[in-house]
Amino acid sequence: MAKTQLNVRVDETTADTARRRAQQRGVSVNRYIEELVQQDAGESGRAFVEAAADFMRQYEGVFSEEFGSERGRTA
């Protein structure tokens, strides 16, 4: 996957923390921040899937009434 440069400005305390945490993990600051963003995106995705599953549980009866109760049926 191609890499794109992203410049961000943070206060010195945040920068020091990022450097220290990256060093503790044995990765570059770039890699550390990339992993944090990927982790955050994954959590958002999981939250969406959980919310969708909860919605389907709550409204399963409505969908069954409207469309029938057969699951996994294709047209």
Side-chain angles (χ1 to χ4, degrees), residues 3 22 25-38:
K3 297 282 185 169
R25 287 184 154 97
V27 297
S28 68
V29 173
N30 286 337
R31 182 66 189 153
Y32 173 65
I33 292 171
E34 184 178 17
E35 289 173 359
L36 288 177
V37 171
Q38 290 170 347

Side-chain angles (χ1 to χ4, degrees), residues 7-59:
N7 296 312
V8 297
R9 293 185 186 274
V10 297
D11 61 61
E12 193 57 42
T13 301
T14 301
D16 288 341
T17 301
R19 288 183 196 108
R20 189 172 57 256
R21 298 291 291 165
Q23 184 178 23
Q24 289 170 347
R25 287 184 154 97
V27 297
S28 68
V29 173
N30 286 337
R31 182 66 189 153
Y32 173 65
I33 292 171
E34 184 178 17
E35 289 173 359
L36 288 177
V37 171
Q38 290 170 347
Q39 178 183 354
D40 183 56
E43 289 173 7
S44 296
R46 279 190 295 279
F48 173 79
V49 169
E50 289 172 8
D54 186 48
F55 174 85
M56 290 304 294
R57 280 190 296 275
Q58 289 180 12
Y59 294 97

Side-chain angles (χ1 to χ4, degrees), residues 51-71:
D54 186 48
F55 174 85
M56 290 304 294
R57 280 190 296 275
Q58 289 180 12
Y59 294 97
E60 183 175 14
V62 174
F63 285 100
S64 292
E65 274 183 31
E66 182 68 25
F67 302 107
S69 60
E70 291 184 44
R71 292 185 154 203

